[in-house]
Amino acid sequence: MLFISIAVLSGCASNSTQTNSETSSTKDGFTIVTSFYPMYVETINVAKDIPNVQVINMTEPQTGCLHDYQLKPQDLITLNSADAFVVNGAGMETFLDDVIKQDKDLKIVNASDGIDLIKDASGEDNAHVWVSISNCITQVKNIAEQLSVIDPKNAEAYQSNADAYIAKLEALKEKMHASLDMVSNRNIITFHEAFPYFAEEFNLNIVDVIERDPGTTPSPKELEDTINIVKESKVKALFAEPQYPAEAAQTIANETGAKVYSLDPGVTGTADETAYDAYLNVMESNLKSLEEALK
């Protein structure tokens, strides 16, 4: 019945991760499945080098945010191998609600437990909590703690790995604050609503959002309104995201004299060895972009 229900719910997009083909080989170990790339990066750091523990990402590393994601039969096969399923929570994985209700044995690790959520323009919870380094640290702690309950024999290793990764995140957060706390110009315009938690952490003021729904093209009226806001507020920095085309941002820049920079929410990457430092590298790149734009 579960397979039938998923077939009805599934969309037309393809799904194949680097590790899906290895699912059947880990039945004697402990298999952790993650919902999308940010959760994958956090979880592989928590589970790093623990024997017989494997982390599989359910979606492709290049999937991006799961705003309009539709579950597919291959996802169910991957989930069927899970001893634990790590999700972002905060409304990001609503497409999984029916599956979770039907599979009572699926152990869910909610990485966003205890995080205060920001409402977006439509009044819904903004799910992009990991983009804040402080929230990312909380998520890593949650993942380690909840995995330790589900897989107690590896609890000490999960906690040790989490502590090591959190030390790197704390050092990066301190470095970013040392640079950005001194910035006088804090007004920015972002591509879509992925950065409220990041802006809150570093006391940046998001004056406007170019595309509130990623992948949608702003109407001529919306573009005109944003252009007027840029002119009135004297915003000099527009931040596009590498996952989406920047035509709208460039149009606004051409009309206002503002410059387009890049801010990466860290939702895409690779599933190889470089993934361990993917979030750290993205935030380092974001820091450089902000330094150039705001100083």
Side-chain angles (χ1 to χ4, degrees), residues 58-85:
M58 186 186 73
T59 54
E60 291 184 12
Q62 296 296 322
T63 298
C65 281
L66 303 177
H67 299 289
D68 299 313
Y69 189 79
Q70 292 182 305
L71 207 61
K72 295 170 286 296
Q74 179 58 47
D75 298 333
L76 182 60
I77 295 171
T78 304
L79 283 174
N80 191 51
S81 72
D83 296 298
F85 183 38

Side-chain angles (χ1 to χ4, degrees), residues 251-269:
T251 298
I252 296 167
N254 293 341
E255 293 292 327
T256 62
K259 188 174 179 180
V260 179
Y261 300 88
S262 178
L263 276 183
D264 192 340
V267 293
T268 56

Side-chain angles (χ1 to χ4, degrees), residues 15-19 36-38 40 57-65 243 266-272 275:
N15 178 64
S16 175
T17 70
Q18 176 180 329
T19 49
F36 74 133
Y37 195 67
Y40 176 73
N57 199 37
M58 186 186 73
T59 54
E60 291 184 12
Q62 296 296 322
T63 298
C65 281
Q243 291 83 13
V267 293
T268 56
T270 64
D272 57 22

Side-chain angles (χ1 to χ4, degrees), residues 8-22:
V8 172
L9 290 171
S10 63
C12 60
S14 62
N15 178 64
S16 175
T17 70
Q18 176 180 329
T19 49
N20 274 351
S21 62
E22 301 172 17

Side-chain angles (χ1 to χ4, degrees), residues 116-257:
D116 292 330
L117 302 179
I118 296 173
K119 299 291 184 182
D120 62 23
S122 63
E124 297 180 354
D125 291 333
N126 189 305
H128 303 82
V129 295
W130 71 89
V131 186
S132 156
I133 299 180
S134 294
N135 287 344
C136 180
I137 290 170
T138 298
Q139 288 192 314
V140 171
K141 290 179 179 178
N142 283 337
I143 292 169
E145 290 171 2
Q146 294 177 47
L147 285 178
S148 295
V149 173
I150 300 169
D151 182 27
K153 73 175 184 179
N154 288 311
E156 185 176 347
Y158 291 134
Q159 295 294 338
S160 177
N161 283 338
D163 290 343
Y165 187 47
I166 287 169
K168 294 180 181 180
L169 292 168
E170 291 282 8
L172 177 58
K173 183 174 76 168
E174 184 177 343
K175 175 182 177 179
M176 293 183 72
H177 272 293
S179 176
L180 298 177
D181 286 354
M182 305 303 294
V183 171
S184 57
N185 176 21
R186 298 186 172 276
N187 291 336
I188 63 174
I189 290 180
T190 59
F191 187 79
H192 86 282
E193 295 199 65
F195 291 94
Y197 297 98
F198 182 92
E200 182 179 67
E201 176 154 37
F202 294 108
N203 195 26
L204 301 174
N205 178 35
I206 299 177
V207 176
D208 198 14
V209 178
I210 297 172
E211 296 182 12
R212 296 196 177 274
D213 295 318
T216 62
T217 302
S219 68
K221 179 63 167 61
E222 289 170 332
L223 278 175
E224 181 183 357
D225 289 344
T226 302
I227 288 169
N228 290 334
I229 288 171
V230 172
K231 290 178 177 178
E232 291 169 5
S233 63
K234 296 181 171 57
V235 172
K236 297 300 181 184
L238 310 177
F239 290 94
E241 297 171 30
Q243 291 83 13
Y244 301 102
E247 282 88 351
Q250 194 58 57
T251 298
I252 296 167
N254 293 341
E255 293 292 327
T256 62

